[in-house]
Amino acid sequence: TLFRSAIWNAAQPPDWMKDNPFWRAGETLALSMSPYEFNPLNHNPLKRVLKAAVDFGAVQATDIKLFVAATAVRQARARIFTASEINADVLMASACLPHLFQAVEIEGEPYWDGGYLTNPPLWPLTGEDTPDDVLLVTLNPMTREETPRSAADIMDRLNEIVFNAPLVAELRAIAIAGEMIGQGQIDVGGQGPYRHVRMHAIEADRWLSDLSLRTKFNTEWSFLNDLKTRGRAAADEWLDSCLGAVGRHASVDMQARFG
């Protein structure tokens, strides 16, 4: 595994090269090829790794509410898989980037990465039998201080915006619903899909904004440990400043941020 990781990381271009127009032209050419062309046998070692590393029987039997999203290609709809449905194919579908991998077929329907339509799916967490507090942990920065100018930085930021868009839409809907509930325009006394949700967030902006899109392909152990350190620091900061809000009120001003 370490040997494969070393080969993969050695194959990644250095940061100075990604702005080279010839390299960008090569990337464009590579994207012009379909995974059905450059990988006709649909070989993907990740599936074997998942089957070896994950006890899907235990996942399917758990009482924990677990949701995984994938995008139905032909219907352009998000499908939310619950714990009892989750297997290796579902996880492969939820992370299937269509310019790299062939669509994953489940029950005759091809699926792509769920992030295109819901990233992550929040609406299953607003049901009647779910907690009143929702903690969102983001992985892509929402805001950046500088305007991207190089071709590589523009593509990186565009990728972040595209994958953040479904999340922003869901958060805005939650904010609007919360405001309408507060104004008495929506009755939450009876059975229905609307209720108060106290939102909290550990956001990536300050902790991950110095990392480029290329680092998503970095599998070096030192880098993974660095991500772990950043994550723990972000979590500790949130616990110190926002834990007291849990069970009482939201620690994110939804209306100001997304309303």
Side-chain angles (χ1 to χ4, degrees):
T1 301
L2 291 176
F3 178 69
R4 290 179 180 175
S5 175
I7 293 177
W8 175 256
N9 286 304
Q12 302 304 307
D15 288 336
W16 62 266
M17 186 182 292
K18 68 179 184 177
D19 291 323
N20 185 295
F22 294 103
W23 179 265
R24 302 302 300 181
E27 283 190 322
T28 301
L29 179 62
L31 289 175
S32 69
M33 295 183 63
S34 160
Y36 296 87
E37 296 171 330
F38 65 73
N39 186 14
L41 298 180
N42 198 22
H43 177 67
N44 191 335
L46 179 58
K47 186 172 183 177
R48 184 175 67 251
V49 172
L50 285 173
K51 287 184 174 181
V54 180
D55 184 348
F56 286 105
V59 172
Q60 294 168 3
T62 184
D63 293 329
I64 298 174
K65 293 186 182 299
L66 180 62
F67 305 98
V68 174
T71 299
V73 178
R74 293 193 297 236
Q75 301 177 35
R77 296 176 58 185
R79 176 173 174 180
I80 308 300
F81 295 89
T82 59
S84 62
E85 302 173 293
I86 293 174
N87 54 32
D89 284 333
V90 168
L91 295 187
M92 295 284 289
S94 74
C96 179
L97 297 176
H99 59 284
L100 295 178
F101 306 106
Q102 295 185 24
V104 178
E105 286 205 8
I106 300 174
E107 300 172 356
E109 176 68 34
Y111 288 93
W112 287 342
D113 193 310
Y116 291 112
L117 292 180
T118 178
N119 188 35
L122 295 182
W123 58 265
L125 305 179
T126 62
E128 297 175 7
D129 57 347
T130 54
D132 293 329
D133 290 270
V134 174
L135 174 59
L136 172 68
V137 181
T138 64
L139 300 180
N140 289 322
M142 286 280 190
T143 60
R144 288 191 179 272
E145 297 299 325
E146 299 181 356
T147 302
R149 298 185 181 278
S150 71
D153 289 341
I154 290 172
M155 288 302 298
D156 283 1
R157 186 54 179 157
L158 182 61
N159 179 277
E160 290 175 345
I161 291 173
V162 167
F163 274 90
N164 278 334
L167 172 61
V168 171
E170 285 202 69
L171 290 173
R172 182 175 291 121
I174 292 174
I176 293 173
E179 183 180 18
M180 295 178 70
I181 290 172
Q183 295 175 352
Q185 299 178 29
I186 297 178
D187 180 15
V188 295
Q191 299 294 318
Y194 301 105
R195 65 185 181 87
H196 280 289
V197 176
R198 295 185 289 265
M199 286 297 304
H200 312 276
I202 300 176
E203 300 190 63
D205 294 42
R206 190 160 65 84
W207 301 97
L208 300 179
S209 60
D210 62 318
L211 303 179
S212 68
L213 180 64
R214 175 181 172 268
T215 61
K216 292 182 182 292
F217 297 95
N218 189 342
T219 58
E220 292 180 347
W221 187 247
S222 59
F223 178 69
L224 297 179
N225 277 323
D226 177 58
L227 290 179
K228 177 183 177 181
T229 300
R230 294 177 189 228
R232 285 184 174 273
D236 286 340
E237 182 181 79
W238 183 86
L239 289 171
D240 290 339
S241 60
C242 300
L243 181 60
V246 175
R248 300 171 59 192
H249 57 80
S251 58
V252 175
D253 188 341
M254 297 288 291
Q255 188 59 35
R257 186 79 189 272
F258 305 105

